Amino acid sequence: MEGMRLVSIVAKGVGIALAEFVKAIEEAMKNNPSMFKKKKSFDLVTLELTLKSIEPAIRDMERLNQEMGRSKEELESLITKMEEGTNLLKESSNVRWTSKSRYMAELHAFDESFRKLLDTILKVQTARDQKERLHLEHKKVSGGGSCVLAANEGMDERKTCFTHLKTS
């Protein structure tokens, strides 16, 4: 059963999970506005703005990972976390006042863990991309093939170099 879940997560893609998460935020604010508008409540607006602002970068990461032949599982934990947030928001948007404080605590804990995970993923991807670029430049300088990579050129050259190195 866990294997089937993994396949559905990976097939889903981070872009779809992100869109579903943003939609769940919008629905939660619409269905239960009083739960999310008071000062002591959970700040869904900030979470929504954060997600919308990083959406293009996340979609680019997913696309570039695919183009460079990287595993789809690299972003699996982010997809899983966004699905967790979507489910939590769907549950919390239908609660009565008696359960509100429990869901607020769960939403705050989720938000903190989501931000930490996102920060970690972005740092790891950045570090790996920098190491890969250094490796490609080293190959170029040391005459390791016909890989041409200028420091300020775009991803098409990087993809060409990466593809060349993979097939060499």
Side-chain angles (χ1 to χ4, degrees):
M1 185 70 171
E2 185 63 32
M4 287 176 54
R5 176 163 163 64
L6 176 63
V7 170
S8 78
I9 288 171
V10 173
K12 184 180 229 179
V14 72
I16 294 170
L18 183 61
E20 289 176 355
F21 192 25
V22 169
K23 184 179 177 183
I25 291 170
E26 292 167 352
E27 288 177 7
M29 288 189 295
K30 184 178 104 184
N31 293 341
N32 201 347
S34 62
M35 185 168 172
F36 300 109
K37 285 193 177 178
K38 294 186 179 182
K39 289 184 180 182
K40 293 183 180 181
S41 69
F42 182 72
D43 186 8
L44 280 181
V45 173
T46 299
L47 180 59
E48 180 184 24
L49 291 173
T50 299
L51 291 172
K52 285 182 175 180
S53 69
I54 66 169
E55 183 176 11
I58 296 293
R59 288 183 186 271
D60 283 347
M61 280 174 44
E62 182 177 40
R63 179 184 53 79
L64 292 169
N65 281 354
Q66 182 181 12
E67 287 178 7
M68 292 189 291
R70 293 183 179 152
S71 171
K72 289 182 178 183
E73 284 85 7
E74 283 190 0
L75 298 173
E76 174 190 325
S77 59
L78 184 59
I79 294 168
T80 302
K81 196 62 157 172
M82 286 189 285
E83 287 178 338
E84 178 186 327
T86 299
N87 292 334
L88 184 58
L89 285 167
K90 286 179 180 177
E91 289 174 24
S92 67
S93 66
N94 296 317
V95 299
R96 298 187 188 279
W97 282 101
T98 55
S99 303
K100 181 181 174 185
S101 62
R102 187 189 100 204
Y103 277 101
M104 285 296 121
E106 286 183 36
L107 285 166
H108 282 287
F110 167 81
D111 185 53
E112 185 177 327
S113 67
F114 177 75
R115 290 177 190 278
K116 284 180 182 177
L117 175 66
L118 185 60
D119 184 55
T120 300
I121 288 171
L122 294 175
K123 284 179 181 175
V124 168
Q125 287 247 343
T126 300
R128 195 242 351 257
D129 290 349
Q130 289 173 344
K131 292 278 188 190
E132 185 177 77
R133 184 173 186 96
L134 287 172
H135 174 72
L136 293 172
E137 288 185 21
H138 175 73
K139 288 285 252 187
K140 175 186 148 193
V141 170
S142 64
S146 62
C147 179
V148 178
L149 180 66
N152 293 321
E153 292 187 33
M155 290 305 297
D156 290 335
E157 288 78 14
R158 182 174 176 199
K159 179 184 172 190
T160 302
C161 292
F162 184 77
T163 304
H164 173 74
L165 291 174
K166 278 179 56 178
T167 57
S168 307

